[in-house]
Amino acid sequence: MDKILTVCPYCGCGCGLYLHVEEGRLVGVSPSRSHPVNRGSLCVKGWNAYEFVVHPDRLLKPMIREDSSGLRECSWDEALDYVAHRLAEIRDRSGPDSIGILSSAKCTNEENYLIMKFARAVIGTNNIDHCARLCHSSTVGGLAAAFGSGAMTNSISEIRDAKVLFVIGSNTTEQHPMIGMHMLDAVDRGAILIVADPRRPQIAEFAHIHLRHRPGTDVALLMGIMHVIVNEGLVDIDFVRRRTENFDAFEHVLRGFHPQAVESITGVSIEDIRRVARIYAMEKRSMLFYAMGITQHITGVDNVRACANLVMLTGHIGLPSSGINPLRGQNNVQGACDMGALPNVYSGYQTVTDPRARRKFERAWRRKLPTKPGLTVVEMTEAAYEGRLKALYITGENPLLSDPDLNHVKEAMKGLEFLVVQDIFPNETMEYADVVLPACSFAEKDGTFTNTERRVQLLTRAIEPIGDSRPDWEIIADLSGRMGYEMQYRGTYEIMEEIALLTPSYGGMLHHRLRERHGLQWPCPDVGHPGTPFLHRKKFAKGLGTFITVEFRPPAELPDEEYPFILTTGRIYFHYHTGTMCRRTAVLEREEPACYVEINPLDAERLHVRDKFPVKVSSRRGSIVVSARVTERTPEGVVFIPFHYSEAAANLLTNAALDPTVKIPEYKVCAVKVEPVMKEDRRTRPVKVVDLEDLRIT
Amino acid sequence: MRSEWVLPKGHLSYWLRQLRNRASLIAPLRVDGDIVFKSLENIHEVSLDNPALLPSPKEFLLPQQEGMFWTEGERIRPLLNKERRFIFGVRSCDVSALGLLDRFFLEGYGDPFYRERRRNTIFLSIVCNNPDPTCFCIGLGTGPYLEKGFDIQLTDLGDRYFVQAGNRQSQRLVRQWSFLFTTPRKVDYEDQYEVFLSSKARFQKRISLESVREYILAGKVRDSFWESVSERCFECGGCVYECPLCTCFTVTDRSYSFGTERVRLWDTCLFKGFTRMAGGVLPNEKRVLRTKRWYYHKLVHYPDVLGSFGCVGCGRCTVTCPGRIDMATIAIKLRDLQDNGR
Ligand code: SF4
Ligand code: SF4
Ligand code: SF4
């Protein structure tokens, strides 16, 4: 029995866990007691992270599509030669920008770096993006403009020392459980917890104040709070004067957000707005947290900017236990962004339009690089639909479940000339793939992951690759060689060396340093640097912090007579994203085997729907049938559907309306109608209610 | 047959090396900042001044994942793990837990997978000179040292170990290398007694589960109390996974092209799906029912059926529970309520 320290493959908390190996087989998981995030705990997904690795569905061999017989297995040589040949041919015929690459927030930093190098140096396009577009591109865009850096400013271990926790649009205890644990500890130690969320997530049970604003009105709510702060003289004037710019213009806009007006937009009472403003502003160790509830709107960037303005206004940033903390979803979504798997930046957020940065990469990679920013995920779909994009190379993503307005995505995939899918399990997107390449899971490779608190941690290979699968970085390096660009690395540590040379914030992130003390937090500019637990001390990354003015805009699609409900989508505790791993884990799948729609008891009564009744939920784009879950967690007029289930995909309903700046789709608001599926008489027939409590024998 | 010896400390690594030649030797080893049970490669990595290891040594008898059988067409091949193991460095509370696990798995219908592993495993436990702040075995008689029920118990006397063998199989392990051991003298017994006393004085938590049980049985604990407890449950399953006494498991099949494997996996009664019935009915859908059940099982049902609590005070759930609603915390909360006369 051997135990190997590695990092959880699910969420951005980045818990340290041991994989148990017996005779070359994974047999279990246990938490690390010394890890600064999880400290001997894990959530249920972490505890079960070993099981999916050996699931019978694992892709074992490369496959190529034969026109007549579907996919057939083939050798790596055949598959990669074919991919290299087709990509080169399409590039030469239609230009490099007719090819798009989707990287993955599930891949390591080293892999993301190589994939982005492959896109830019080998193919010659900036058309590279990944699923961060769909979750936190608003953060990257919004916070970078305000502070010069788009990441959590504090460390997770600082949470327990905070005095005020302001959590907006995050179901923390279920989606970032180990961060939730630290929050609960803080509350036990006397911190005040403020939760703003239209639904009632578990974390709200512990909140001293729970604001239930209408979905999509976050800007108004935050502006209202800031209005009170300015009006009551709670602004940190010193901070605003010395460390920020553009305050006057911002204040001018702010005047329009009188609490009365805000009350009528958000549905939150003036008293509550005032209370929150005072509590948040008056305590120094105040931490702000947000997640998808802020970012996944057409006003995603504005929401983030409003949050940034709030922390600047009160000077709650740049100190321990004081800052703004976007909670990143995927285990390595922070890293994938850091590595430049984005259409407009290289690693370390060095922009492709900056000639100096470009020259640096051109010299290092010995290739001329494209100058124009590329297409984003959703724009690639659009381009494919219109025939401008001919080929797509997808690593570890499943757009046919995760992207908004799936029927549209399907059409787009059909239109592609050439589609490569590289993954560990078969997924919905593979139906349209010309080549399928089997990749290794987290247990079979090494490299690094960067968690949501910017901690770069080492992943250690625990078992040999299953079947003929190979780590993503090996596949990319091999393919690149076949396209005439040698990528020779003896291991992931050599890739990291190259990253460190080209990326200032990762300058000191060498593998041998990361082995100690569970990794280092960036920025870590050189090999002597101990890492940075909290950001923007004394000075913002970009110098002065900028107040960016925001205006309130309502969601793109509001309920009306025909579609009277607001649909909001999200994750549930036992599952993760498109379910590739968790739905192949016996215990997790058993807990939540089927999709459902959460609906408020009052709405349910009006529709004559009881708990577990099947209902049809439809929007202008599609419809699904799911069972109803009647609960007060969801307010009246709003329904919630988890998006993990391909058999009832919530994204058939969602709206692909995009934020104008960063193109994040509005997953959190669209209009739907809910109809009972059963006939009227069956629904209204009275049933005898038996209270299980009465039957209980103790 | 004699069952007590003294082993000079310098002889321990020689003895362990000899044991390793007989079977696989598992011990607490230092790796990357933590100490975990794993197969011993280098004797010098053994670390005995460690806090309770996660998970408990139950993982060697009821592993997190265990193959039960393979089927290929008509053929069925049972998978019984017959590997011989010595587990060195376990704690007294974990050994006490084995006694109850044995009764659970072997009384009445005997579980063949457990039986096979149990038969082939010898536990070498160490008396706890320095209990963790989370330990409370002292109120339960399950530690820090044991009078009986152990295979081999070692007490650290500074420059030597006091060694006790609890059964014939274990006695043989000592007698085979008898030249390493000496006969205990009076001073050894005295020193051992001293260690017991000083260890007992070091406990930070003193908890009487008996009074908690009485309080619950008197019907004094309101449902609102359990509500407030269960609200904090993250449904991580950690308490059950870590506990040396919890035995929940589930069974699942994995069908490959070359056959089907049936495996059993750790599960927990704290999940609503654990008791799902035909037709999708969830008798314990409300979380509070499950939390309450867990405590009732450990504090009420276990003593009724097996005569002792379903808890040996190892403190692992205190370490692992993200909601801080572990056995010790709840027992202390209830005691405080009781003291306040409510
Ligand atoms: S909290 Fe996140 S990183 Fe930690 S075990 Fe759970 S899923 Fe994994
Ligand atoms: S209930 Fe907690 S303290 Fe008691 S034996 Fe189980 S894990 Fe240890
Ligand atoms: S360890 Fe705590 S949070 Fe996790 S299941 Fe047990 S009681 Fe719930």
Side-chain angles (χ1 to χ4, degrees):
Chain A
M1 153 92 64
D2 200 3
K3 293 187 182 168
I4 290 142
L5 180 68
T6 189
V7 185
C8 175
Y10 282 104
C11 87
C13 292
C15 297
L17 49 80
Y18 286 89
L19 287 178
H20 303 187
V21 181
E22 215 163 36
E23 287 158 13
R25 275 177 58 138
L26 273 193
V27 292
V29 161
S30 57
S32 159
R33 275 189 86 158
S34 63
H35 195 278
V37 175
N38 55 308
R39 302 188 183 188
S41 309
L42 287 175
C43 83
V44 68
K45 294 183 287 284
W47 269 112
N48 290 285
Y50 65 96
E51 207 201 321
F52 71 85
V53 173
V54 294
H55 194 278
D57 285 354
R58 273 292 293 268
L59 295 169
L60 302 175
K61 287 216 154 58
M63 290 184 283
I64 289 186
R65 182 169 304 278
E66 299 280 338
D67 276 337
S68 49
S69 54
L71 291 165
R72 83 170 153 81
E73 292 185 349
C74 66
S75 70
W76 273 106
D77 276 332
E78 187 186 349
L80 289 181
D81 278 339
Y82 181 61
V83 174
H85 163 77
R86 288 295 307 269
L87 286 181
E89 177 234 329
I90 292 173
R91 178 187 59 191
D92 297 343
R93 176 162 43 86
S94 319
D97 286 340
S98 62
I99 299 175
I101 313 267
L102 289 187
S103 186
S104 170
K106 280 268 170 273
C107 288
T108 62
N109 288 326
E110 289 77 1
E111 287 162 347
N112 273 293
Y113 173 82
L114 276 203
I115 292 169
M116 89 108 180
K117 182 172 173 182
F118 176 76
R120 294 188 159 122
V122 183
I123 304 283
T125 178
N126 280 325
N127 289 344
I128 166 142
D129 204 359
H130 69 285
C131 64
R133 183 66 46 204
L134 310 176
C135 64
H136 263 297
S137 53
S138 333
T139 298
V140 176
L143 290 190
F147 306 145
S149 161
M152 237 176 115
T153 69
N154 298 104
S155 295
I156 292 168
S157 55
E158 288 166 21
I159 296 174
R160 56 203 314 268
D161 297 321
K163 288 276 178 242
V164 173
L165 304 170
F166 188 3
V167 180
I168 313 184
S170 159
N171 180 359
T172 323
T173 48
E174 295 192 24
Q175 307 313 350
H176 295 89
M178 291 303 117
I179 294 181
M181 165 177 89
H182 287 260
M183 288 183 177
L184 243 61
D185 280 350
V187 171
D188 286 348
R189 294 163 57 126
I192 296 181
L193 175 63
I194 304 164
V195 173
D197 199 313
R199 295 174 67 220
R200 190 168 173 79
Q202 191 190 8
I203 184 89
E205 306 290 338
F206 311 99
H208 299 88
I209 304 174
H210 179 199
L211 307 175
R212 285 183 106 165
H213 55 302
R214 298 197 181 102
T217 61
D218 307 77
V219 166
L221 178 69
L222 289 163
M223 289 298 260
I225 291 171
M226 286 188 269
H227 189 280
V228 176
I229 290 177
V230 170
N231 246 7
E232 302 196 354
L234 299 172
V235 177
D236 187 338
I237 308 258
D238 263 353
F239 186 91
V240 171
R241 264 203 213 118
R242 279 199 222 159
R243 295 197 44 187
T244 67
E245 58 190 15
N246 203 32
F247 175 68
D248 294 334
F250 167 72
E251 200 200 355
H252 189 77
V253 178
L254 192 60
R255 283 195 207 128
F257 288 87
H258 195 274
Q260 234 132 28
V262 171
E263 179 176 17
S264 66
I265 299 174
T266 61
V268 177
S269 71
I270 300 185
E271 294 82 73
D272 278 346
I273 294 175
R274 292 221 176 97
R275 260 169 75 210
V276 169
R278 290 174 196 148
I279 292 173
Y280 177 76
M282 274 155 56
E283 187 57 66
K284 202 60 220 165
R285 292 211 302 266
S286 296
M287 292 175 89
L288 181 73
F289 299 87
Y290 69 81
M292 287 340 48
I294 280 287
T295 58
Q296 289 180 336
H297 291 282
I298 53 158
T299 56
V301 178
D302 283 347
N303 290 349
V304 173
R305 287 171 179 157
C307 292
N309 291 343
L310 178 61
V311 301
M312 284 192 285
L313 201 62
T314 46
H316 289 341
I317 190 162
L319 294 168
S321 309
S322 173
I324 177 167
N325 296 291
L327 304 178
R328 311 290 305 251
Q330 290 277 19
N331 57 340
N332 198 33
V333 63
Q334 184 66 51
C337 292
D338 295 346
M339 288 304 111
L342 296 170
N344 58 339
V345 290
Y346 304 115
S347 60
Y349 308 98
Q350 308 173 72
T351 53
V352 297
T353 47
D354 172 6
R356 280 191 36 219
R358 194 167 57 239
R359 247 194 322 275
K360 176 165 103 181
F361 281 89
E362 282 177 345
R363 280 177 57 201
W365 294 347
R366 304 179 320 279
R367 274 289 163 107
K368 201 96 197 102
L369 297 180
T371 54
K372 192 166 68 62
L375 300 176
T376 63
V377 170
V378 189
E379 286 171 326
M380 282 188 214
T381 315
E382 209 44 55
Y385 187 74
E386 290 164 11
R388 281 180 287 130
L389 197 80
K390 311 274 185 226
L392 195 56
Y393 191 121
I394 304 179
T395 40
E397 300 222 333
N398 185 8
L400 265 184
L401 191 52
S402 62
D403 288 14
D405 196 357
L406 291 180
N407 287 328
H408 187 70
V409 182
K410 232 175 251 175
E411 290 305 310
M413 294 292 150
K414 269 189 217 157
L416 286 170
E417 272 179 39
F418 188 56
L419 174 62
V420 183
V421 174
Q422 177 172 320
D423 211 319
I424 59 174
F425 285 115
N427 64 29
E428 287 70 27
T429 313
M430 257 166 225
E431 232 164 90
Y432 303 94
D434 297 284
V435 178
V436 171
L437 303 174
C440 285
S441 76
F442 80 112
E444 300 142 59
K445 62 185 179 189
D446 44 29
T448 56
F449 283 150
T450 307
N451 80 351
T452 183
E453 54 162 1
R454 300 169 277 109
R455 182 181 296 279
V456 183
Q457 310 190 77
L458 215 51
L459 195 72
T460 319
R461 170 188 276 207
I463 54 168
E464 291 300 310
I466 305 268
D468 285 348
S469 67
R470 297 170 71 183
D472 297 84
W473 69 270
E474 272 184 41
I475 303 175
I476 293 289
D478 191 345
L479 176 62
S480 169
R482 287 169 205 255
M483 293 184 72
Y485 185 97
E486 288 302 326
M487 287 190 184
Q488 273 165 351
Y489 302 98
R490 253 166 293 168
T492 49
Y493 64 96
E494 286 198 356
I495 308 176
M496 196 43 136
E497 265 169 21
E498 184 174 323
I499 297 172
L501 282 174
L502 292 168
T503 316
S505 53
Y506 276 65
M509 299 287 182
L510 299 179
H511 278 192
H512 69 272
R513 293 193 73 207
L514 301 176
R515 203 165 284 286
E516 298 147 27
R517 287 180 295 130
H518 302 285
L520 292 164
Q521 289 170 281
W522 64 254
C524 174
D526 56 66
V527 287
H529 197 282
T532 312
F534 62 94
L535 296 179
H536 311 308
R537 179 159 179 249
K538 296 204 172 134
K539 189 166 145 303
F540 283 107
K542 71 184 252 295
L544 290 180
T546 310
F547 278 97
I548 302 173
T549 54
V550 291
E551 282 292 353
F552 172 67
R553 278 178 294 134
E557 190 183 61
L558 283 173
D560 52 26
E561 294 248 306
E562 197 184 347
Y563 296 96
F565 286 95
I566 294 182
L567 165 70
T568 158
T569 63
R571 302 198 265 130
I572 52 178
Y573 175 59
F574 286 96
H575 284 309
Y576 203 81
H577 287 204
T578 60
T580 326
M581 307 187 306
C582 48
R583 296 203 67 197
R584 292 187 173 87
T585 303
V587 172
L588 300 180
E589 174 65 0
R590 190 224 28 228
E591 281 307 298
E592 294 289 0
C595 192
Y596 59 85
V597 54
E598 278 187 6
I599 184 165
N600 187 277
L602 296 172
D603 289 329
E605 204 177 307
R606 268 192 288 275
L607 293 167
H608 300 298
V609 168
R610 290 203 199 97
D611 201 41
K612 302 200 174 67
F613 272 19
V615 293
K616 183 167 155 199
V617 185
S618 1
S619 76
R620 292 187 171 81
R621 292 154 294 276
S623 70
I624 56 176
V625 174
V626 290
S627 79
R629 189 168 290 184
V630 180
T631 164
E632 268 159 13
R633 282 176 65 144
T634 301
E636 267 189 272
V638 177
V639 293
F640 167 84
I641 303 181
F643 71 93
H644 312 288
Y645 300 90
S646 59
E647 61 275 21
N651 281 324
L652 287 168
L653 313 176
T654 47
N655 191 359
L658 302 183
D659 179 284
T661 345
V662 297
K663 324 281 184 210
I664 192 168
E666 186 152 57
Y667 286 112
K668 292 295 184 206
V669 184
C670 74
V672 294
K673 64 179 169 202
V674 181
E675 300 155 302
V677 173
M678 276 190 239
K679 284 206 199 75
E680 179 74 23
D681 58 329
R682 279 198 59 196
R683 275 186 285 128
T684 45
R685 190 169 56 199
V687 284
K688 200 166 148 245
V689 179
V690 184
D691 191 352
L692 285 167
E693 285 288 279
D694 298 341
L695 296 177
R696 188 167 305 279
I697 304 152
T698 37
Chain B
M1 210 185 317
R2 189 151 61 84
S3 62
E4 289 168 338
W5 299 268
V6 168
L7 175 70
K9 268 206 175 156
H11 293 177
L12 177 68
S13 42
Y14 182 85
W15 189 41
L16 289 180
R17 270 197 210 98
Q18 296 305 315
L19 291 179
R20 189 173 52 178
N21 294 338
R22 295 294 166 86
S24 55
L25 177 60
I26 288 158
L29 304 183
R30 186 173 291 283
V31 277
D32 302 314
D34 292 292
I35 298 164
V36 296
F37 273 124
K38 59 180 214 166
S39 298
L40 189 62
E41 278 149 31
N42 187 347
I43 301 276
H44 299 289
E45 286 171 0
V46 175
S47 171
L48 289 178
D49 54 345
N50 50 274
L53 302 189
L54 307 180
S56 71
K58 152 181 111 179
E59 64 173 323
F60 299 104
L61 299 177
L62 174 67
Q64 211 158 346
Q65 161 178 306
E66 169 156 60
M68 299 170 82
F69 57 79
W70 258 106
T71 64
E72 290 167 64
E74 299 284 287
R75 283 218 322 269
I76 294 186
R77 181 161 55 88
L79 301 171
L80 286 178
N81 188 306
K82 294 188 192 294
E83 188 180 334
R84 279 174 58 76
R85 292 185 180 85
F86 296 124
I87 320 253
F88 176 74
V90 301
R91 299 186 156 202
S92 304
C93 54
D94 295 334
V95 175
S96 307
L98 293 176
L100 287 169
L101 278 187
D102 286 351
R103 295 191 57 188
F104 177 82
F105 278 112
L106 302 177
E107 269 179 15
Y109 171 76
D111 181 286
F113 308 99
Y114 179 90
R115 184 188 300 124
E116 209 55 43
R117 283 177 175 265
R118 182 74 174 103
R119 192 182 323 189
N120 287 310
T121 311
I122 290 184
F123 291 87
L124 292 88
S125 57
I126 310 258
V127 169
C128 303
N129 291 14
N130 279 308
D132 300 349
T134 45
C135 292
F136 59 100
C137 58
I138 185 157
L140 291 160
T142 51
Y145 58 89
L146 295 178
E147 302 287 355
K148 58 177 186 345
F150 48 80
D151 293 335
I152 291 186
Q153 174 170 274
L154 286 81
T155 312
D156 187 344
L157 303 181
D159 56 349
R160 62 206 191 281
Y161 287 105
F162 194 92
V163 180
Q164 294 159 286
N167 48 39
R168 281 181 178 273
Q169 209 184 355
S170 313
Q171 282 166 353
R172 272 199 293 275
L173 279 188
V174 173
R175 287 157 60 89
Q176 269 166 3
W177 292 282
S178 57
F179 65 100
L180 297 173
F181 299 83
T182 59
T183 313
R185 289 164 303 155
K186 190 154 168 275
V187 55
D188 297 319
Y189 286 104
E190 282 165 10
D191 285 358
Q192 191 201 22
Y193 184 61
E194 196 98 329
V195 166
F196 289 172
L197 281 187
S198 80
S199 166
K200 278 174 151 178
R202 288 207 174 99
F203 278 84
Q204 296 177 21
K205 282 207 170 92
R206 283 163 201 272
I207 293 167
S208 158
L209 291 184
E210 192 51 52
S211 68
V212 174
R213 172 185 153 92
E214 279 164 14
Y215 192 48
I216 290 176
L217 286 180
K220 295 271 180 55
V221 186
R222 295 202 197 98
D223 271 0
S224 60
F225 174 80
W226 296 116
E227 289 278 357
S228 72
V229 173
S230 73
E231 234 166 42
R232 301 182 60 113
C233 179
F234 282 63
E235 299 193 40
C236 67
C239 48
V240 172
Y241 296 149
E242 298 284 14
C243 181
L245 273 174
C246 283
T247 49
C248 300
F249 61 81
T250 185
V251 169
T252 185
D253 289 350
R254 297 204 186 116
S255 296
Y256 300 88
S257 55
F258 44 93
T260 296
E261 184 183 24
R262 172 159 296 180
V263 290
R264 72 174 175 195
L265 310 162
W266 279 0
D267 199 346
T268 104
C269 54
L270 287 154
F271 296 155
K272 62 174 184 277
F274 187 71
T275 44
R276 176 182 288 118
M277 305 198 293
V281 178
L282 300 166
N284 288 324
E285 189 163 8
K286 280 203 230 128
R287 186 152 52 198
V288 57
L289 297 176
R290 290 174 260 144
T291 305
K292 196 168 142 186
R293 231 206 101 270
W294 192 74
Y295 279 100
Y296 269 63
H297 188 204
K298 287 195 171 302
L299 297 174
V300 178
H301 194 67
Y302 251 104
D304 285 352
V305 176
L306 294 179
S308 49
F309 288 106
C311 170
V312 291
C314 73
R316 283 193 181 83
C317 53
T318 311
V319 175
T320 218
C321 177
R324 317 293 178 221
I325 46 168
D326 48 280
M327 181 62 80
T329 308
I330 296 310
I332 291 171
K333 276 212 174 113
L334 285 174
R335 184 185 63 195
D336 290 349
L337 284 180
Q338 198 174 8
D339 289 350
N340 293 336
R342 265 183 283 158

